[in-house]
Amino acid sequence: MYLKKISLILCVLFISASMFTIHSANASGGFDDVSPKHEAYEEINYLVSLGVIKGYKENGKTLYKPYNNVTRGQVAKMVVVASGNKPLVVSKSNFSDVAVGTELSGYVERAVQLGLFATNTKGQFLPNKPLTRDEMSYVLTKAFKLDASAYDNIDSPFVDVGITHPYVQYVNTIYYNGITKGSGQNYNPNSQVTRAQFALFVARAKSEKYRLELPVKGDAVPDTKQVIGLIQVTTDGLNIRKSKDSNSSTNVVGTVNKGGKLSVYAVEGDWLKVTYKGAYAYIYKTYAQFLDADGNALGSIQKQVTTTQGINVYVKATSSSKIIATVNSKVKLPVYKTVSGYYLTVVNGLPGYIVANSTEDVEVEQPKPDPNPDPPTPPVSGDLLGRTTVDSLNVRKEANSTSTVLGKLSKGEYVHVNSINGYWAQITFKGQTGYVHKSYLKLLNQGNPLKNRIIILDAGHGGKDPGAVVGSTSEKSITLKVTTLVKQKLEAAGAQVKMTRTGDTYPSLQDRVDFTDANFGEIFVSIHVNSASSTSAQGTETYYAVTTGDMYQEDIDLATFVNNQIVTNLNMKNRGVKEQQYYVIRNTLIPAILVELGFLTNSEDRGKMTDDQYVELFAESIYKGISQYYAKQ
């Protein structure tokens, strides 16, 4: 018995010493994949010292895996610990995908009890789902008790977080508390968060020491009840100015790109009064279009009505919202949609809502047929045609965005392209020379479909970011091999091909977008390899992003051709073509897709992606899919 007690004591001491050694190694920055030069090095070690995060022991190394996406389950534990709380013990799990009694269960239950997560889906917590940046803003605001009430009456400083965005208040909160600065003018709310990024954000929320320089808010602006409408910018690089002065460069406080949404407080002649970073500002009205109260395009006119009495026009479909105009009796108005007993209409160029039962329908007069119609327009001919991919495309007198507008092209209209210089295509328009931005044309060779087409290929990950890894096989090496082969095939067919990386380097996501723009790309194809916690997950899937205008149909066409070629030629499980707002395809103006070849974590898929004969087939399939896209007129 005495010897058994001695053995037990020694065993406990040995285990305690081992645990202390591992903790000490981690606390001292002993991560083999986080060097002292890493941007999050200090913050990661700060959180390790608090017991908020820990690494992984693999093959004798201690890894932090900074470029892996952080999951909702990992975040639940990190913020519960970082905010000074303890896991909650429950006898029954509130979530079907979180087993009661596990370590994860305690932290998830506590996080939800504290209100740190906004929603759950059908009784699930989704612990393995990557956290998005908009969710992150909510989690940090709630976990560290940041005062969000001070930021509910100002617009977001980011052009991709409109005033109708459900998380705008929380994005504002972490921005004005020095926790995030976004990426230029964008916050990228739908992007996922890496473990390194989340360490930075948590450290900043936890300690003033790590906060960014606090942004300065402008003069106080009216609350959102004073907003008279929402607009969407229709051109890239639109200047935001402190005042209505278009001649002074010092007057410019920022820019906003096409698709950016802003709240409008007044229409003052040719200018719209908006807010930018908490202060009043102005943009030129010509380069913006009004949206409905939910931030959507107005669409087409459904019918016309006549007012039966004097009525108010409201900014939203409720009489408690701001009145933006009044209309007399017997005034004819267009109706774009019906919302909860209100009609969406336009009065003096401004969208608004009127009470439906204060109007009566009118019969729209049908135009009489022209007895002397113009002869049908002859088919467009030439070596290079362009098919318009958006509606109301400006044709300009000169090759710049401020030149005189000669007219507009409709979606689906064909034009003869005389020449291309950078992003401007010279076309023949109603018997004269004009210019359009080529991003809104599908360029169609009337011969070899690929000849001279500028195609951007993006091999996912690279350099410090290996992507998915199984054993000695990494995503970055597979994507580079496949992408290089696709390039060779396309070039042999006459295309001009540019690769975002040609070796084991790591261009950032924004670098890849900038590279595409600098090389005047016409389509963008990003090649990736998938992974999952379950080894049974397998197959090919291809993503596109819905951006402004109608051109996302081009993305769907390109994605479908490529996805189907891979599935057919390699007998892959078809996981389909899906929408997802991945950064590189969302921020690329031209048709852009992201291809997930297969799952590295599935033995069958992995066998194909590591076999040279199958790698050749992957490349051939992508090449054929691109060829099919350009062959479609």
Side-chain angles (χ1 to χ4, degrees):
M1 179 66 72
Y2 177 76
L3 289 174
K4 287 183 178 180
K5 287 183 178 180
I6 292 294
S7 299
L8 180 60
I9 291 170
L10 289 173
C11 184
V12 170
L13 289 173
F14 177 76
I15 293 171
S16 300
S18 299
M19 292 177 65
F20 176 78
T21 301
I22 292 172
H23 177 78
S24 298
N26 288 345
S28 64
F31 293 117
D32 293 276
D33 55 354
V34 181
S35 74
K37 294 182 179 180
H38 193 284
E39 65 169 340
Y41 176 80
E42 188 175 346
E43 288 85 349
I44 287 172
N45 287 304
Y46 165 67
L47 295 179
V48 169
S49 69
L50 298 177
V52 174
I53 57 179
K54 62 182 179 180
Y56 302 84
K57 296 292 287 187
E58 291 184 3
N59 301 322
K61 293 183 177 181
T62 303
L63 304 176
Y64 180 65
K65 300 186 178 181
Y67 303 107
N68 282 14
N69 290 328
V70 67
T71 66
R72 286 165 56 89
Q74 292 169 342
V75 167
K77 180 177 180 180
M78 291 168 69
V79 294
V80 165
V81 175
S83 59
N85 290 283
K86 296 186 180 298
L88 182 69
V89 178
V90 295
S91 58
K92 181 180 179 181
S93 175
N94 286 302
F95 306 99
S96 61
D97 53 356
V98 180
V100 70
T102 61
E103 180 188 48
L104 177 63
S105 173
Y107 288 107
V108 166
E109 297 288 350
R110 179 66 75 187
V112 172
Q113 182 196 56
L114 294 170
L116 307 188
F117 286 84
T119 58
N120 63 80
T121 306
K122 296 180 180 178
Q124 294 182 317
F125 182 74
L126 307 177
N128 298 317
K129 181 183 177 184
L131 188 78
T132 57
R133 287 174 60 85
D134 52 5
E135 291 175 322
M136 177 195 73
S137 68
Y138 185 93
V139 170
L140 295 179
T141 298
K142 296 297 184 179
F144 295 96
K145 296 181 172 58
L146 303 176
D147 183 6
S149 64
Y151 308 103
D152 60 354
N153 293 330
I154 61 174
D155 283 326
S156 164
F158 304 110
V159 298
D160 56 355
V161 181
I163 202 164
T164 60
H165 195 285
Y167 290 91
V168 62
Q169 182 178 8
Y170 306 105
V171 172
N172 286 342
T173 300
I174 64 173
Y175 173 76
Y176 286 113
N177 277 277
I179 294 170
T180 185
K181 60 182 178 181
S183 177
Q185 298 178 57
N186 294 310
Y187 178 70
N188 305 312
N190 298 314
S191 294
Q192 297 168 353
V193 185
T194 67
R195 284 169 56 83
Q197 290 169 341
F198 197 69
L200 287 170
F201 297 134
V202 172
R204 292 168 188 166
K206 177 74 174 173
S207 172
E208 293 283 346
K209 174 183 176 181
Y210 300 107
R211 295 278 173 98
L212 301 169
E213 183 178 352
L214 297 183
V216 178
K217 287 190 292 180
D219 297 333
V221 299
D223 65 26
T224 52
K225 292 181 180 179
Q226 300 305 313
V227 171
I228 64 169
L230 293 171
I231 57 93
Q232 181 169 283
V233 174
T234 59
T235 188
D236 283 332
L238 179 62
N239 287 329
I240 301 176
R241 300 177 181 274
K242 286 187 292 187
S243 62
K244 295 176 287 185
D245 180 3
S246 60
N247 297 318
S248 172
S249 59
T250 60
N251 190 31
V252 177
V253 294
T255 60
V256 59
N257 288 328
K258 181 174 182 177
K261 295 179 182 179
L262 296 169
S263 301
V264 178
Y265 288 81
V267 179
E268 299 179 6
D270 292 332
W271 297 88
L272 298 177
K273 187 176 184 179
V274 298
T275 52
Y276 181 71
K277 294 191 175 181
Y280 280 129
Y282 292 86
I283 63 170
Y284 204 51
K285 185 172 67 175
T286 303
Y287 301 107
Q289 65 180 16
F290 275 95
L291 306 171
D292 68 13
D294 297 318
N296 301 314
L298 302 188
S300 58
I301 296 174
Q302 295 181 347
K303 63 179 180 179
Q304 288 187 323
V305 296
T306 299
T307 57
T308 56
Q309 60 189 54
I311 59 174
N312 293 325
V313 183
Y314 300 98
V315 71
K316 296 182 180 180
T318 171
S319 60
S320 63
S321 68
K322 181 177 176 62
I323 298 172
I324 56 175
T326 57
V327 179
N328 294 329
S329 177
K330 299 183 180 179
V331 174
K332 187 182 293 185
L333 294 172
V335 173
Y336 291 87
K337 63 182 70 173
T338 304
V339 182
S340 303
Y342 287 78
Y343 287 147
L344 172 63
T345 188
V346 172
V347 176
N348 298 324
L350 194 63
Y353 295 82
I354 57 175
V355 176
N357 61 16
S358 297
T359 68
E360 59 184 14
D361 291 357
V362 296
E363 189 173 331
V364 179
E365 293 184 10
Q366 297 297 325
K368 296 179 180 179
D370 188 345
N372 300 301
D374 293 332
T377 303
V380 176
S381 61
D383 294 333
L384 179 60
L385 304 183
R387 175 167 57 76
T388 310
T389 59
V390 295
D391 215 0
S392 300
L393 176 61
N394 287 329
V395 180
R396 297 188 179 273
K397 185 176 181 180
E398 298 175 356
N400 63 72
S401 60
T402 59
S403 176
T404 302
V405 176
L406 301 176
K408 295 181 182 292
L409 295 172
S410 300
K411 182 182 177 183
E413 191 170 348
Y414 289 82
V415 294
H416 175 246
V417 178
N418 303 318
S419 62
I420 295 174
N421 185 6
Y423 268 121
W424 289 96
Q426 185 195 81
I427 67 169
T428 300
F429 177 73
K430 295 183 178 179
Q432 59 183 321
T433 298
Y435 295 86
V436 296
H437 201 285
K438 75 167 185 177
S439 296
Y440 306 111
L441 293 178
K442 182 178 181 181
L443 297 170
L444 302 166
N445 294 324
Q446 300 308 291
N448 177 359
L450 291 171
K451 184 179 179 181
N452 295 327
R453 299 287 52 84
I454 303 175
I455 298 170
I456 309 298
L457 298 179
D458 175 45
H461 305 275
K464 63 183 181 181
D465 178 11
V469 178
V470 173
S472 60
T473 305
S474 66
E475 178 178 2
K476 69 176 182 178
S477 61
I478 294 173
T479 60
L480 183 59
K481 182 181 288 188
V482 173
T483 304
T484 302
L485 288 173
V486 177
K487 177 179 187 289
Q488 294 170 1
K489 294 174 184 294
L490 289 169
E491 287 180 334
Q496 298 180 41
V497 185
K498 305 289 184 181
M499 289 175 57
T500 59
R501 70 179 179 96
T502 56
D504 190 18
T505 58
Y506 177 71
S508 69
L509 299 182
Q510 186 59 48
D511 288 339
R512 299 169 201 248
V513 173
D514 293 341
F515 177 88
T516 303
D517 186 58
N519 285 281
F520 310 112
E522 294 166 5
I523 67 169
F524 174 92
V525 178
S526 186
I527 299 173
H528 287 255
V529 169
N530 228 329
S531 66
S533 56
S534 171
T535 58
S536 63
Q538 66 178 136
T540 300
E541 56 194 11
T542 306
Y543 294 95
Y544 67 95
V546 174
T547 52
T548 54
D550 301 315
M551 61 191 301
Y552 68 85
Q553 184 58 53
E554 298 300 314
D555 302 68
I556 295 173
D557 282 352
L558 178 58
T560 301
F561 285 133
V562 170
N563 195 82
N564 289 349
Q565 283 285 343
I566 295 173
V567 168
T568 300
N569 297 334
L570 288 101
N571 193 29
M572 299 290 288
K573 179 181 178 181
N574 189 358
R575 297 174 66 90
V577 171
K578 307 172 182 178
E579 179 195 347
Q580 184 61 263
Q581 301 291 56
Y582 288 124
Y583 190 92
V584 289
I585 55 175
R586 183 177 184 273
N587 290 282
T588 305
L589 186 61
I590 57 177
I593 63 172
L594 188 149
V595 187
E596 295 278 10
L597 302 176
F599 282 78
L600 198 61
T601 45
N602 177 267
S603 59
E604 184 178 346
D605 283 6
R606 184 170 65 253
K608 292 178 180 179
M609 293 186 293
T610 54
D611 184 309
D612 285 346
Q613 289 184 328
Y614 279 101
V615 167
E616 172 71 25
L617 273 178
F618 276 115
E620 179 72 11
S621 299
I622 295 171
Y623 159 71
K624 286 183 176 179
I626 294 172
S627 298
Q628 277 185 291
Y629 170 76
Y630 273 113
K632 179 183 177 182
Q633 297 288 302

